[in-house]
Amino acid sequence: MPTIAQFRRASLLARGGLRNLLLPTRHAIAPNPGKATVSPSPIRLSLALSPHGRLTLVATDDAPELATELAQRLTVAFARGSGHGLLQLGGAEIGQALPPVLAYWRELGTRYVTALCVRTGNETAHSPVPPPAPADLETLALGAPVMLGAEYIDAALVAALWREIDDAFALRQTETQATTEVLVKQLNDAWNVVGRVHFNVAVNIRDNASPFAFLATYTHQLSSHGTALHRPLGEALGEFAAAKDSGKLLSLLVPVQRAAEQCGWLRDMVESGEIFHPLRWSASEAYRLLSDVPGLERAGVIVRMPANWRGNRPARPQVTATVGAKPAAGLGTDALLDFSMQITLDGAPLTPAELKQILSSTRGLAFVRGQWIEVDAEQLGRTLKQFKDTEQLASGQGITFAEAARLLAGANVAGEHDQTTATPLWSQVIAGSWLTSVLQQLRSPSGAKRARVRASKKDALRGTLRPYQEVGVHWLDSLSRLGLGACLADDMGLGKTIQVLALLLKRRQETSSEHRPSLLVAPASLIANWQSEIDRFAPALRTLIAHRSVLSAMDLDAINPAQLANTDLVITTYGSLQRFPWLAATQWNLAILDEAQAIKNPGAKQTRAVKRLHARSRIALTGTPVENRLTDLWSIFDFINPGLLGSVKQFTSYSKRMAAKPDNPYGALRELVRPYILRRLKTDRSVISDLPDKTEVTAWCYLSRTQAALYQEAVAELRHQVASAEGIRRRGLVLACLMRLKQICNHPSQWLRDDRWDPKDSGKLARLRELADVIAAKQEKVLVFTQFREVTAPLAAFLARAFGRDGLTLHGGTDVKKRKELVRRFQEDEGTPFLVVSLKAGGSGLNLTAASHVIHFDRWWNPAVENQATDRAFRIGQTKNVLVHKFVCRGTVEEKIDQLIEAKSHLSRELLDGGAEITLSELNDDELIRLVSLDLNAAMQE
């Protein structure tokens, strides 16, 4: 055993070495306090996840501010790849205060570095670090925060990212030829790279006065089986002194010294040298260490408690509430469920005597039922009172389904419980047998039986549902029978329409004393598409289209709900809901919203009109995930399950409380909404494996001399105008100039409005001609998208000359009745080689799988909108590979915006909800001019 003098020398060495070790890291994070410095401007960054599992830093106004130095470090790391970024977060940024999204992903990186530290040594050849157990991966995935691409997070993705971190560390080791020990030390000094210090606490059943024993050990080496071998910490002095290796001794003592800075009792043990000796402890001394376990582990000390203490904690008495043991009384989120409670220890009820003993104990450890348990009489008493109050309120009729769901998820959205009294440590809410079976079926629909629409030949679905579609129909049916709403968020092209039609046919086959029609609300451009799909797959449905393209305003006004007795489905538009009061007055069976993102703005008139509808159950259809923005999520759920997420005021307050939580802030919310969202991706081969490939390429174009001259003239005019403009006027000038530059890049005639449209004056037309020649030679078809209606006719004329045959044109002015015929001709007529479509008119709802090429003649600068348009061709029914050509003029603002999108968030489908122009208009003058300036060498073809 070391002497006190030996320990003091080691302690002084650790203290001095610790300061030297920490100094570079502190300088990297904060400026020198001894010098006058100007604080860098904070910036806002968050992480977005692509469908392919890549994490990318994106700038967003919704993110909290980050210090410039931190943002720069993360930017450099994530620019190399997801693994490098997560290694930086988890290894180097330990201890940094981070917003929830970054903190969530740091946890994965921290777990990796922790696993790495256990096996540190002098090796320079890296061997893979195995990922956590599947259950741990699943827990990590379920705790994902609200972020761009959150819908792609699952256990498999977390495991894949773990492997990317491992690859990043291996690459760093290859590049530096450094040992694991050195590389981990370079990440952050908080990691102990030589061995791990362990604080071991054991129960000493033979000593009533001191029932616990303490011993500090360190990891000496790993056995041949990979098991850590321990030695008492006191032996470290002799071992390292004999080896004359003060550096390793310093590294070993760093975590102990860091922990002692926060724990007074540990500091006393260090100063006295008791840390090197085995000790007898009272229950209060053991509880003192137990209370500081999180701080000890953050410092790098591993705490090992008695083996029967789960997760380093003794058992706790818990107030256990059970909801939903019996079937619900009623339907919907207001359905009433039974509620009961009891006080348990390890799942077994406590006797009155045991409860009395616990409630009379002081805070700490108590010996109950032959074991040491953790008690907090004050906390337990408050929790007990809260649940008793809830039980008393529920004794008359029960609690609502919404309240039960919030209790189970631990999501105090509506504020019906005081967060300071009920905590997961001292209480738990479990689902009873009936509710457990219901939630299991909703959360894991793929494991449930599939719905098959069996009926007479007359009423049968004229088509075959794919397996995942059968699952979707059964899921929708189960929710709607419970009176609960559903959000079917399948990827575009996976057949949301046919799943809804199968559900409606299933309902038509059932007899009911009270017939109610169902209502479908869709954008006007999709009415013809729905009618076409009904004619094709479900002609037995008796349908009424309540829109002025079919009926006169007078006829629509005259409709009475009583006249709908022989109608299965009424189809209308979002705008019509505001014009015809009978739509809101009718009692519907199902109220279905297509393109439900139309109600993501809670304050919009059409959103308020939709939410006035009365229906037994509500369904929202959207190909846009509802997991990326909290306000979007609330608005969708306020329609499908009103009250589940509380009022907008309650939800806003809850969102702020969530963001303030240090660990897994959004886990409870995700658990709450998960049963009501079904999201499948067509890129997931487990869902569908017979779609062909989609390849996206940038089709670079050059400017003609006329285009270049007009472009430079526009930039010079903008430079002159913005110098003296401010506020709204400046923003208007910027947006107008951006539109002007887009038009010039397309063709000078679009800006000049001279109706010439000479092909020689446009580099894009030259590129289009080259592609058209190849496509025509292969006898293939092409969709050409433009955001400008005035460009559709010139493009159609140009392509007719290139193909030698006329094609079709579809834009906002095309009569709704003619759209169906245009789509049919393009799909069925082999002599129709192309379809020119304005992006707004044809960006969603159309099935155009006859095309194997998609051309974006000009860019919307919003990947979500472009992807929607592309998916008109790349969807179920497509048998050919789809090639997507995105036209970009070199050296112009088009190229710079393309680079900006690619660099920031090209891997997120819902990147720029409001369009890029809004952000661009806020650039300062120098940034703006650099963005729009013409690189003449790049733009002009030699």
Side-chain angles (χ1 to χ4, degrees):
M1 283 295 176
T3 65
I4 298 297
Q6 287 175 318
F7 166 73
R8 286 175 177 166
R9 285 194 295 270
S11 179
L12 289 172
L13 175 64
R15 290 176 184 172
L18 182 62
R19 285 195 296 272
N20 293 332
L21 282 171
L22 288 179
L23 193 58
T25 302
R26 286 177 177 168
H27 280 193
I29 295 174
N32 190 329
K35 296 182 180 180
T37 59
V38 178
S39 298
S41 300
I43 55 180
R44 300 177 185 274
L45 290 175
S46 188
L47 283 169
L49 180 68
S50 80
H52 302 291
R54 180 181 174 87
L55 282 169
T56 309
L57 275 177
V58 295
T60 170
D61 292 338
D62 295 336
E65 296 178 348
L66 292 182
T68 301
E69 293 91 343
L70 174 61
Q72 289 173 344
R73 293 195 298 271
L74 295 180
T75 300
V76 171
F78 277 100
R80 295 194 69 186
S82 303
H84 294 279
L86 291 171
L87 188 61
Q88 175 72 22
L89 269 178
E93 307 302 341
I94 192 76
Q96 283 279 356
L98 296 176
V101 173
L102 294 177
Y104 169 78
W105 289 110
R106 177 173 62 186
E107 172 66 17
L108 180 62
T110 298
R111 289 197 181 199
Y112 173 82
V113 179
T114 300
L116 194 65
C117 283
V118 175
R119 36 174 279 178
T120 53
N122 293 320
E123 67 276 4
T124 57
H126 180 72
S127 57
V129 179
D136 292 334
L137 293 173
E138 185 68 26
T139 299
L140 276 171
L142 290 176
V146 174
M147 60 176 288
L148 290 173
E151 66 272 19
Y152 303 116
I153 300 174
D154 57 19
L157 181 133
V158 176
L161 288 173
W162 177 283
R163 290 189 289 271
E164 289 195 38
I165 305 173
D166 198 50
D167 291 342
F169 188 86
L171 178 61
R172 183 177 294 194
Q173 196 159 34
T174 301
E175 292 172 343
T176 61
Q177 289 299 303
T179 64
T180 304
E181 175 182 331
V182 170
L183 287 179
V184 176
K185 184 176 180 179
Q186 288 175 353
L187 289 172
N188 194 298
D189 297 320
W191 301 105
N192 178 13
V193 296
V194 175
R196 301 298 300 275
V197 174
H198 293 66
F199 285 179
N200 306 273
V201 177
V203 176
N204 186 359
I205 58 176
R206 298 180 181 179
D207 191 338
N208 294 330
S210 300
F212 291 92
F214 169 83
L215 178 65
T217 63
Y218 72 101
T219 303
H220 171 60
Q221 64 182 24
L222 297 178
S223 70
S224 59
H225 301 290
T227 305
L229 302 179
H230 295 267
R231 287 182 178 178
L233 187 59
E235 295 185 13
L237 290 179
E239 177 184 345
F240 295 134
K244 297 181 179 181
D245 195 343
S246 60
K248 286 193 174 182
L249 176 61
L250 170 63
S251 296
L252 185 66
L253 296 179
V254 162
V256 177
Q257 187 64 37
R258 290 174 69 90
E261 293 175 0
Q262 306 297 324
C263 304
W265 60 270
L266 179 58
R267 183 167 56 251
D268 293 340
M269 288 176 60
V270 169
E271 293 291 344
S272 66
E274 287 185 331
I275 190 71
F276 291 103
H277 300 273
L279 302 172
R280 296 166 60 240
W281 271 4
S282 66
S284 60
E285 288 173 318
Y287 186 72
R288 184 180 57 183
L289 181 145
L290 181 65
S291 301
D292 285 332
V293 165
L296 294 171
E297 291 182 337
R298 283 195 298 270
V301 176
I302 297 176
V303 180
R304 301 172 71 191
M305 305 300 277
N308 63 333
W309 289 12
R310 295 185 298 274
N312 272 347
R313 306 292 301 196
R316 294 186 183 93
Q318 283 193 320
V319 182
T320 302
T322 303
V323 293
K326 303 174 184 177
L331 297 173
T333 53
D334 292 329
L336 298 176
L337 300 177
D338 59 285
F339 179 95
S340 61
M341 58 150 285
Q342 59 183 352
I343 300 91
T344 62
L345 180 65
D346 287 334
L350 287 168
T351 66
E354 291 168 338
L355 179 60
K356 182 179 179 181
Q357 176 190 351
I358 290 171
L359 291 176
S360 62
S361 303
T362 57
R363 186 170 183 264
L365 296 172
F367 197 70
V368 178
R369 288 185 182 171
Q371 63 175 321
W372 288 97
I373 68 170
E374 184 176 357
V375 298
D376 186 335
E378 182 180 355
Q379 178 71 61
L380 182 62
R382 287 199 303 264
T383 305
L384 182 60
K385 181 181 183 303
Q386 174 202 308
F387 276 78
K388 279 186 175 179
D389 291 343
T390 303
E391 185 179 44
Q392 185 175 1
L393 290 173
S395 61
Q397 53 184 3
I399 64 172
T400 67
F401 192 99
E403 290 171 333
R406 291 193 289 264
L407 281 170
L408 285 171
N412 182 30
V413 176
E416 63 264 280
H417 305 296
D418 183 357
Q419 291 251 12
T420 63
T421 59
T423 69
L425 299 180
W426 304 97
S427 66
Q428 64 174 339
V429 181
I430 60 176
S433 57
W434 177 82
L435 188 55
T436 295
S437 64
V438 170
L439 292 177
Q440 178 63 31
Q441 182 177 332
L442 300 182
R443 288 170 178 162
S444 303
S446 59
K449 65 180 182 180
R450 299 167 181 171
R452 300 186 183 277
V453 182
R454 295 187 180 93
S456 65
K457 186 175 181 180
K458 175 184 175 183
D459 290 340
L461 180 74
R462 295 189 179 178
T464 302
L465 293 174
R466 293 170 180 263
Y468 74 88
Q469 291 172 336
E470 292 178 347
V471 168
V473 175
H474 177 73
W475 179 78
L476 290 171
D477 187 47
S478 298
L479 277 165
S480 59
R481 289 184 185 281
L482 291 169
L484 299 172
C487 178
L488 183 59
D490 282 347
D491 209 355
M492 287 185 175
L494 289 184
K496 294 186 290 293
T497 300
I498 196 172
Q499 293 177 68
V500 169
L501 295 181
L503 176 65
L504 291 170
L505 283 175
K506 194 171 188 296
R507 290 301 172 83
R508 171 182 165 81
Q509 298 158 12
E510 299 166 356
T511 58
S512 174
S513 59
E514 181 190 2
H515 170 78
R516 286 188 184 184
S518 294
L519 176 70
L520 169 70
V521 185
S525 60
L526 299 186
I527 288 180
N529 184 67
W530 272 97
Q531 185 61 66
S532 175
E533 297 294 280
I534 290 171
D535 292 343
R536 178 182 177 188
F537 295 113
L541 287 177
R542 298 166 297 182
T543 304
L544 169 66
I545 298 180
H547 188 254
R548 288 187 293 187
S549 63
V550 177
L551 299 173
S552 68
M554 182 179 299
D555 290 338
L556 288 170
D557 281 328
I559 291 178
N560 188 297
Q563 299 173 341
L564 304 177
N566 295 320
T567 302
D568 297 315
L569 179 66
V570 174
I571 302 177
T572 192
T573 64
Y574 289 97
S576 298
L577 288 178
Q578 303 172 56
R579 299 187 188 100
F580 307 114
W582 63 269
L583 290 168
T586 302
Q587 299 292 323
W588 304 103
N589 185 10
L590 302 176
I592 306 162
L593 302 187
D594 192 14
E595 302 292 344
Q597 60 269 24
I599 66 164
K600 285 186 176 182
N601 181 357
K605 289 182 179 179
Q606 68 182 25
T607 301
R608 295 198 297 269
V610 163
K611 293 179 180 180
R612 286 194 293 266
L613 294 171
H614 301 283
R616 286 174 174 150
S617 184
R618 303 177 176 195
I619 297 173
L621 308 177
T622 176
T624 304
V626 295
E627 300 162 309
N628 293 346
R629 293 173 62 92
L630 288 175
T631 52
D632 297 351
L633 179 71
W634 180 86
S635 191
I636 292 284
F637 266 77
D638 191 49
F639 167 72
I640 61 174
N641 285 314
L644 183 68
L645 298 187
S647 67
V648 66
K649 182 178 179 181
Q650 290 170 331
F651 187 73
T652 300
S653 175
Y654 176 68
S655 301
K656 293 178 180 178
R657 298 199 302 271
M658 278 194 302
K661 288 183 178 180
D663 301 313
N664 191 15
Y666 297 104
L669 179 60
R670 290 177 65 87
E671 185 69 13
L672 178 60
V673 301
R674 187 160 61 104
Y676 316 102
I677 302 175
L678 185 57
R679 171 76 168 160
R680 279 85 60 93
L681 306 176
K682 67 185 174 195
T683 51
D684 183 354
R685 294 296 178 180
S686 66
V687 173
I688 182 168
S689 59
D690 56 356
L691 273 176
D693 292 329
K694 175 177 68 174
T695 304
E696 297 185 357
V697 297
T698 301
W700 297 107
C701 307
Y702 296 93
L703 297 184
S704 67
R705 293 184 180 274
T706 303
Q707 284 176 301
L710 289 172
Y711 192 103
Q712 289 180 310
E713 178 183 331
V715 173
E717 186 175 334
L718 177 65
R719 181 184 289 110
H720 173 73
Q721 291 177 334
V722 297
S724 58
E726 294 180 354
I728 295 177
R729 180 172 177 271
R730 182 184 183 278
R731 181 181 177 186
L733 289 172
V734 173
L735 295 179
C737 182
L738 289 172
M739 186 62 67
R740 176 179 175 181
L741 295 178
K742 276 188 174 184
Q743 293 172 330
I744 292 171
C745 287
N746 279 352
H747 196 287
S749 292
Q750 186 182 355
W751 166 247
L752 298 174
R753 299 185 183 277
D754 59 9
D755 293 327
R756 292 181 56 201
W757 292 91
D758 190 334
K760 297 191 300 295
D761 289 338
S762 170
K764 284 191 176 180
L765 287 185
R767 187 74 179 91
L768 182 60
R769 180 58 188 255
E770 294 171 358
L771 286 175
D773 288 343
V774 174
I775 294 169
K778 297 174 68 176
Q779 301 184 61
E780 295 178 338
K781 292 192 176 190
V782 61
L783 296 177
V784 182
F785 286 98
T786 174
Q787 72 178 95
F788 302 100
R789 175 178 169 178
E790 67 268 24
V791 177
T792 56
L795 281 180
F798 177 82
L799 288 169
R801 292 192 295 271
F803 279 95
R805 297 193 303 273
D806 289 337
L808 302 171
T809 305
L810 174 61
H811 52 67
T814 305
D815 191 281
V816 173
K817 298 178 181 179
K818 294 182 179 179
R819 295 187 182 199
K820 177 180 176 182
E821 176 59 19
L822 286 174
V823 171
R824 187 198 64 76
R825 279 186 58 192
F826 184 76
Q827 288 289 92
E828 299 176 5
D829 184 4
E830 294 183 357
T832 303
F834 64 86
L835 175 61
V836 179
V837 193
S838 67
L839 202 56
K840 281 189 176 181
S844 62
L846 300 179
N847 190 339
L848 300 169
T849 53
S852 56
H853 293 265
V854 176
I855 294 175
H856 293 283
F857 187 75
D858 45 63
R859 309 292 299 280
W860 188 263
W861 294 347
N862 184 332
V865 175
E866 288 186 350
N867 290 340
Q868 279 188 330
T870 298
D871 282 350
R872 298 312 96 218
F874 186 67
R875 57 195 296 116
I876 291 175
Q878 180 60 268
T879 59
K880 303 172 289 294
N881 291 337
V882 177
L883 188 58
V884 183
H885 314 264
K886 298 181 179 182
F887 281 20
V888 176
C889 286
R890 283 196 179 277
T892 70
V893 66
E894 287 191 341
E895 181 175 10
K896 294 169 187 175
I897 293 296
D898 182 71
Q899 292 172 348
L900 184 64
I901 293 174
E902 292 290 316
K904 286 189 174 181
S905 46
H906 71 291
L907 297 175
S908 174
R909 283 189 173 272
E910 277 60 51
L911 169 66
L912 303 171
D913 290 354
E917 295 89 347
I918 295 175
T919 302
L920 300 180
S921 66
E922 304 304 324
L923 297 176
N924 63 43
D925 291 356
D926 291 338
E927 292 171 333
L928 179 64
I929 297 304
R930 283 198 300 272
L931 180 73
V932 301
S933 292
L934 181 65
D935 181 349
L936 201 58
N937 292 330
M940 299 292 291
Q941 187 173 19
E942 294 296 327

